[in-house]
């Protein structure tokens, strides 16, 4: 077994320091070391997008990184958005538009499109479908996910407007 | 029958948990002292196992145990059948060969487990598994369905002397007689290929044996938790009450997760018993391609006899069905094919016959659509061919052969997956056809738009296809409903849920009877400790059968409530109403009592009760339909083919659909959307590429393509409502609807888009590559 | 899967033949070879490390030479297996003297792969296989030049 290495990350605002094998995947680190099991694994080879998290604000596939590669970085996972009683607008939009069925792909979908939603107040259907192309969903036929993303864009934009 | 809650577009109760990452899936289960399993799987599709040497793996630091078939002792035996072969069909041949926990002398498909390593981490377990040395003597693989039955083919089971797993022949009327007086006979040779369910969550099990309580808890990605518990008890020699199976949130089922007694279920639970520690196994994606059951490989020789004006006299369909290396799920799929081929049409003379073949591939069990897809494909292709030959409009020939609304119940005389002679219960087929035509703009497209687009050099075609979906089959399901002293309602049922929204739709059914906000109804599904009678979630039966049981239980609780309240409020039951968690006298709303108070009174802690009183506002009820309810629909689409790349894009897709009473239209539409997604995959994207040696060539999402967001069109849905007479709510299933009509509509549209080649496509799935080849062949012909 | 190709060596046919039949030379030329030892006049055993896209691993294998017609042609049978799968191939090698110091090596072969190698590496295997063979030939040719110049390269 190889020597253990220290990994220090900030996840959803909390600092963690763990000592792990250098080959540990980041997704396993998040799920099993930190116990944040909202991030899922669907393919382990970078195609399905279920494991998507935000690394320094950008969506990345946590199954394609080793935990030590995240050392010193800032991570956001699905647990860092809203809570059950107080959903984040994007979560609310997915609920409203029935953008999830089994919900397995959902955390990855949401983390993938969150930056898109924040930057596009009024995206077209085509733009949304393109933004979703890196995430597989087997339940919804994507139709309601597309609608959820459009709704989320509107909701986020109007919140921003209110805040101003 | 829309009500205050029933039939409403209510947001789902389960969503907040799923959306915040708080929903528990099997891989989220973490237990102290938990060990991890990794299986060593065969690289060969067919080989004798000469020896297995696990010694190096056993020495590997962190490894707790390594087991092979030989270590399993008397646990090692072929598992029980999931479904028996049908009774009531004379002359059925069924050679039973069910899955084994791990291969012993012979491996029969690539990916079959030969050994398991249990270690402190999954990483270690996989490292050690790679150190196990297996000496194989490779054999020629049986892959080709026709060759498998030929002279001199290698055999999967030497003792059987044949690769024939089954033979079934059914006939209603006489096809020979119909053919003799036909004006026209059209024939076709149809080939459909295997795909995989590809639920985004792979399979997984966590088993935890507790020595102190002498009980086993198992979290499983199963669609049939109760049957799994009962089967495991027998296999492991425990009492059913020593085992609790929990199917928590499951990340998509689509069929393969209903298969019971899978090798990993048995090995993981047995290992936990041996080691006295929790053991977890989570399938990875590549394993999934080789160890999770698949579907959709049949070869049909079919023909249809017609009169000159287009009336069907008879249909004959003779086909071969690939069951893979085992037939644990018996004949559900090909029986579904037999009952769905004639679909919505009146076929007085119908001969259907099949042979099931063992091949060196992973076993075949139902996958969303489950046999119905091939039958529909065959029939709709025959209809298209007949229409062309007779110069008739393709929708006209369909309409004139349809069962009419006043002809229900309509008996086809063919025995189906529930072993009952198939009866179509209700519907208005012509109305669905008209609706789909109207939605897609059939006449206008063909007369105006298509000629215009063709003049612009565009290759755009229309496809339209009808289907039926036998659903909601027995035997039965049950539900228990309790109104608690808190005023909240507890509802448990035996079916598991994999995204179908049962936490909401079942709550809506109960809410309607009890006058309680569905938000206050807590639904438990898939936990054998909460409810332990039932069969499982398959054949689009969750909403229909379990939903009806929920309704029956809610009615019983309602009666209890009314009876008690009538005494307390001193008003006759007929004058009482249930709303907002209260019972009140309809005319005098101030005379009321809350369900919470009633629940307290129904469970007194002192004093005497009347003889025969049952405590609590609780009831359990079961529901079993006499036979399955048949939903149906019509799908139409517009497809554009790029003549350079042969990529085909669906521009519009409409579906007119009837599944009787709708519990929640939002959930219903979602089911159709998902089915369409899979149907499109089965039409154009998804094919498992297998070489002659039984080596899968595309075992990853890089090479096996499932549709992405930009591959799918927006889906327009219209609902028709013909309540089923088979259950009090009038529900029919919808789970597989989307998947069934897509392949035939798609190929018809592709043909229509490329009229210059006069194509006759008789296979699914296509791909741009395959379409190119078909067009090249047509050019040469 | 079929493999086919040729390579022009800058040396006489006998020299090329001698090299092809020298396990030590072969071992030093085939990329990834970890060991190769002769176990009988016509059989070799060894290990090779292969990486094809996302799949990599060590393979243990056996190479058999048959139908030998020195210095013209022979048949090579390779069988190997490892944690990442297995491979089995049969190839025919022909040496054609085109000039006193030019030898054309032609090969045709067929081989089957299985396991992870086939399942995941399928798309890449042909190009990886070809490039391994070509790299091998290049090194072989360099060795040949060096030998003819009377010294061995490092
Ligand atoms: S699990 Fe990371 S992309 Fe699929
Ligand atoms: S909701 Fe099930 S995979 Fe997307």
């Amino acid at each position: 077994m190889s020597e253990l290495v220290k990994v220090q990350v900030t996840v959803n605002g909390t600092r963690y320091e763990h000592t792990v094998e250098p080959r540990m995947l980041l997704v396993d680190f998040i799920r099993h070391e930190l116990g944040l099991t909202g991030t899922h694994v669907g393919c382990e080879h970078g195609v399905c997008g279920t494991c998507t998290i935000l690394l320094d604000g950008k969506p990345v596939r946590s199954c394609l990184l080793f935990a030590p590669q995240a050392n010193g970085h800032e991570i956001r996972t699905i647990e860092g958005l809203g809570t059950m009683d107080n959903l984040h607008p994007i979560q609310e939009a997915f609920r409203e538009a029935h953008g999830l069925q089994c919900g397995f792909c959902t955390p990855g979908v949401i983390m993938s499109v969150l930056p898109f939603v924040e930057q596009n107040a009024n995206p077209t259907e085509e733009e949304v479908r393109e933004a979703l192309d890196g995430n597989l969903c087997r339940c919804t036929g994507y139709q309601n996910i597309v609608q959820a993303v459009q709704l989320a864009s509107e909701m986020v934009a109007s919140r921003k407007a209110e805040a101003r | 029958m829309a009500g205050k809650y029933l039939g409403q577009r209510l947001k789902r109760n389960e969503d907040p948990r799923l959306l915040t990452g708080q929903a528990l899936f099997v891989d989220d289960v973490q237990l102290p002292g938990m060990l991890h399993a990794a299986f060593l799987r065969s690289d060969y599709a067919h080989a004798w196992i000469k020896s297995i040497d696990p010694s190096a793996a056993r020495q590997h630091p962190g490894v707790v145990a390594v087991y092979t078939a030989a270590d399993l002792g008397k646990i090692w035996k072929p598992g029980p059948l999931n479904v028996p072969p049908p009774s009531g069909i004379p002359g059925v041949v069924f050679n039973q060969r069910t899955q084994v926990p791990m291969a012993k002398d012979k491996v029969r498909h690539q990916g079959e487990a030969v050994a398991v390593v249990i270690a402190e981490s999954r990483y270690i377990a996989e490292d050690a598994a790679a150190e196990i040395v297996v000496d194989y003597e490779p054999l020629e693989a049986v892959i080709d369905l026709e060759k498998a039955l030929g002279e001199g083919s290698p055999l999967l089971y030497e003792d059987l002397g044949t690769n024939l797993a089954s033979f079934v022949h059914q006939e209603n009327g006489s096809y020979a007689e119909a053919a003799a007086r036909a004006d026209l006979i059209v024939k076709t040779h149809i080939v459909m290929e295997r795909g995989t369910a590809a639920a985004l969550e792979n399979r997984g099990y966590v088993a935890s044996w507790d020595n102190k309580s002498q009980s086993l808890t198992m979290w499983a990605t199963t669609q049939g938790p109760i049957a799994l518990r009962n089967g495991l008890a027998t296999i492991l020699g425990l009492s059913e009450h020593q085992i609790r199976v929990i199917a928590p949130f499951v990340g998509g089922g689509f069929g393969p997760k209903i298969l019971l007694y899978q090798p990993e279920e048995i090995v993981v639970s047995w290992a936990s018993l041996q080691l006295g520690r929790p053991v977890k196994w989570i399938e990875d994606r590549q394993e999934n391609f080789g160890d999770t059951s698949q579907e959709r490989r049949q070869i049909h020789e079919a023909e249809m006899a017609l009169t000159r004006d287009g009336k069907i006299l008879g249909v004959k369909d003779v086909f071969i069905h690939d069951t893979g290396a085992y037939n644990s799920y018996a004949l559900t799929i090909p029986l579904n094919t037999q009952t769905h081929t004639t679909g919505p049409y009146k076929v007085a003379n119908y001969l259907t016959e099949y042979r099931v073949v063992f091949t060196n591939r992973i076993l075949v069990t139902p996958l969303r659509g489950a046999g119905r897809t091939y039958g529909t494909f065959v029939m709709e292709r025959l209809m298209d061919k007949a229409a062309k030959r007779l110069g008739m409009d393709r929708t006209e020939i369909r309409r004139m052969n349809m069962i009419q609304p006043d002809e229900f119940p309509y008996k086809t005389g063919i025995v189906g997956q529930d072993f009952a002679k198939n009866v179509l219960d209700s519907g208005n087929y012509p109305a669905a056809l008209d609706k789909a035509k109207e939605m897609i703009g059939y006449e206008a497209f063909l007369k105006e738009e298509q000629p215009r687009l063709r003049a612009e050099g565009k290759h755009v075609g229309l496809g339209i296809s009808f289907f039926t979906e036998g659903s909601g089959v027995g035997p039965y399901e049950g539900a228990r409903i309790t109104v608690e002293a808190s005023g909240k309602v507890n509802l448990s049922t035996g079916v598991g849920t994999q995204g179908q929204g049962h936490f909401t739709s079942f709550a809506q059914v109960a809410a309607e009877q009890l006058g309680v906000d569905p938000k206050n109804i807590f639904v438990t599904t898939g936990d054998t400790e909460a409810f332990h009678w039932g069969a499982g979630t398959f054949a689009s039966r969750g909403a229909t059968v379990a939903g009806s049981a929920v309704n029956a239980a809610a009615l019983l609780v309602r009666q209890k409530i009314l009876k008690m309240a009538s005494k307390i409020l001193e008003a006759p039951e007929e004058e009482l109403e249930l709303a907002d968690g209260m019972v009140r006298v309809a005319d005098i709303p101030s005379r009321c009592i809350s369900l919470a108070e009633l629940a307290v009174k129904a469970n007194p802690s002192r004093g005497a009760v009347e003889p025969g009183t049952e405590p609590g506002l609780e009831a359990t009820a079961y529901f079993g339909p006499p036979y399955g309810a048949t939903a149906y629909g019509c799908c139409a689409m517009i497809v554009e083919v790029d003549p350079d790349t042969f990529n085909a894009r669906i521009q519009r897709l409409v579906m007119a659909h009837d599944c009787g009473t709708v519990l929640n239209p939002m959930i219903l539409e979602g089911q159709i959307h998902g089915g369409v997604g899979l149907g499109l995959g089965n039409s154009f994207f998804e094919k498992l590429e297998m070489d002659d040696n039984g080596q899968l060539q595309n075992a990853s999402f890089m090479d096996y393509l499932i549709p992405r967001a930009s591959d799918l069109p927006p889906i327009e849905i219209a609902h028709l409502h013909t309540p089923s007479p088979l259950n009090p709510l009038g529900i029919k299933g919808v789970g597989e609807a989307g998947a069934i009509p897509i392949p035939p509509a798609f190929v018809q549209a592709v043909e229509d888009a490329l009229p210059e080649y006069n194509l006759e496509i008789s296979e699914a799935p296509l791909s741009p590559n395959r379409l190119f080849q078909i067009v090249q062949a047509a050019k040469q012909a | 899967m079929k493999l086919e190709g040729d390579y022009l060596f800058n040396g006489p046919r006998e020299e090329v033949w001698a090299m092809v039949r020298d396990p030590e030379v072969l071992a030093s030329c085939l990329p990834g070879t970890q060991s190769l030892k002769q176990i009988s006049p016509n059989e070799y055993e060894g290990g090779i490390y292969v990486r094809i896209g996302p799949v990599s691993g060590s393979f243990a294998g056996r190479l058999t030479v048959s139908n030998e017609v020195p210095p013209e042609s022979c048949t090579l049978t390779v069988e190997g297996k490892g944690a990442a799968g297995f491979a089995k191939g049969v190839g025919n090698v022909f040496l054609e003297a085109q000039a006193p110091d030019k030898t054309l090596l032609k090969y045709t072969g067929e081989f089957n792969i299985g396991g992870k190698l086939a399942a995941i590496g399928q798309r890449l295997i042909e190009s990886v296989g070809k490039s391994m063979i070509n790299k091998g030939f290049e090194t072989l040719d360099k060795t040949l030049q060096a030998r003819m110049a009377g010294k061995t390269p490092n």
Side-chain angles (χ1 to χ4, degrees), chain A residues 50 99-106 109 136-140 142 145, chain B residues 12 198-201 250-252 254 498-499:
Chain A
T50 30
L100 67 158
Q101 288 184 28
C102 77
F104 195 77
C105 69
T106 314
V109 172
L136 298 179
C137 172
R138 198 56 157 170
C139 296
T140 62
Y142 304 101
I145 299 186
Chain B
R12 299 199 315 173
L200 274 202
E201 180 199 35
V250 173
F254 315 123
Q498 307 89 35

Side-chain angles (χ1 to χ4, degrees), chain B residues 242-312:
Chain B
Q242 284 178 288
I243 305 181
R244 175 183 183 189
V245 173
I246 304 169
F249 280 97
V250 173
F254 315 123
K257 288 176 181 167
I258 188 69
L259 176 63
L260 301 168
Y261 327 122
Q262 304 205 38
E264 301 85 359
E265 289 170 337
I266 296 168
V267 172
V268 167
S269 51
W270 176 82
S272 175
L273 235 80
Q274 298 305 300
L275 302 169
R277 287 172 69 177
V279 178
K280 179 193 254 190
W281 172 73
I282 302 294
E283 184 187 51
D284 71 27
R285 182 55 60 185
Q286 203 217 329
E287 282 184 294
N288 181 277
F289 276 96
D291 70 11
T292 284
S293 57
Q294 303 164 346
E295 209 210 289
R296 304 257 204 280
R297 188 161 172 246
Q298 287 185 351
I299 300 177
H300 288 250
E301 296 292 344
E303 58 183 81
M304 180 187 275
L306 302 105
T307 64
R308 135 174 348 103
D309 48 10
K311 190 171 171 347
I312 301 172

